[in-house]
Amino acid sequence: MIFVTVGSQKFQFNRLLEELDNLVENDFLNSHEIYAQTGYSTYEPKFYTFKKFINKDDFLITMAKSSIIITHGGTGSIINGVKMEKKVIGVPRLKEFGEHVDNHQLEIIEQFSNSGMIYSLSDIKNLGKAIDKVENMDFRKYQSNTENIINILESFLSHEDN
């Protein structure tokens, strides 16, 4: 299953949803393969199941059932996907399409892509190729840095006591 999530920001991401409909209409994807959380998008998919919003538990369950996650450049969706070792395609919302107030999602997706954890897609017309490509790609696994940060803080604090 392909899980598509566009987040909960008060901006539409119609381009992504429309391109998925195009891929289904042109028999590139099966409509039963796709489930989308469409948020504040004004476009309603014609060929696949969607909900505007889903609660966190259902979100994580749906993500766990999916093999591919297609997401906007929100860090929460990306991190959840890579933690579950899913194949993540990051598609940035862009200011020029009224999808966000700036283009910071380009930088977020680039950082995750450069780390080898996700696939970055800048041209929405290449979504079909991206789906084909990620099916045969291996991505770097997510490793939490929390323990390193705790060790650094403990080391710093122990020096402060001396």
Side-chain angles (χ1 to χ4, degrees):
M1 179 169 76
I2 297 172
F3 178 43
V4 181
T5 178
V6 300
S8 57
Q9 291 276 323
K10 291 190 175 184
F11 299 100
Q12 54 77 23
F13 201 2
N14 295 338
R15 283 186 308 133
L16 176 59
L17 304 173
E18 289 171 359
E19 185 58 23
L20 285 161
D21 258 346
N22 287 335
L23 292 172
V24 173
E25 191 170 25
N26 292 308
D27 297 323
F28 184 84
L29 291 174
N30 184 328
S31 63
H32 301 294
E33 294 178 277
I34 305 168
Y35 181 79
Q37 175 270 313
T38 62
Y40 287 95
S41 299
T42 54
Y43 180 81
E44 293 197 351
K46 298 172 187 155
F47 302 113
Y48 54 91
T49 305
F50 71 95
K51 270 191 166 182
K52 290 265 184 204
F53 297 98
I54 56 177
N55 67 46
K56 186 174 182 176
D57 289 341
D58 289 342
F59 182 92
L60 294 174
I61 289 168
T62 303
M63 190 171 270
K65 290 179 184 175
S66 303
S67 57
I68 296 174
I69 311 296
I70 301 173
T71 181
H72 68 121
T75 54
S77 299
I78 293 172
I79 290 172
N80 280 322
V82 297
K83 278 184 174 177
M84 290 185 191
E85 298 182 20
K86 301 299 178 181
K87 295 175 186 280
V88 176
I89 299 173
V91 185
R93 293 172 176 267
L94 298 175
K95 180 181 178 182
E96 67 194 81
F97 296 106
E99 297 162 349
H100 219 298
V101 295
D102 59 28
N103 288 330
H104 73 278
Q105 291 196 353
L106 285 167
E107 296 168 20
I108 292 169
I109 289 173
E110 182 181 346
Q111 288 298 315
F112 278 100
S113 179
N114 288 345
S115 298
M117 290 191 272
I118 71 169
Y119 184 86
S120 171
L121 179 65
S122 57
D123 184 350
I124 202 78
K125 293 296 178 194
N126 291 327
L127 182 58
K129 291 177 186 172
I131 292 168
D132 268 349
K133 195 168 185 176
V134 299
E135 287 180 349
N136 298 311
M137 289 178 72
D138 292 319
F139 292 93
R140 197 177 113 216
K141 291 182 180 180
Y142 173 82
Q143 291 181 325
S144 172
N145 203 21
T146 304
E147 193 168 319
N148 284 339
I149 293 170
I150 290 170
N151 290 337
I152 290 168
L153 290 173
E154 285 177 347
S155 175
F156 175 77
L157 293 173
S158 69
H159 290 295
E160 287 289 313
D161 291 339
N162 295 329

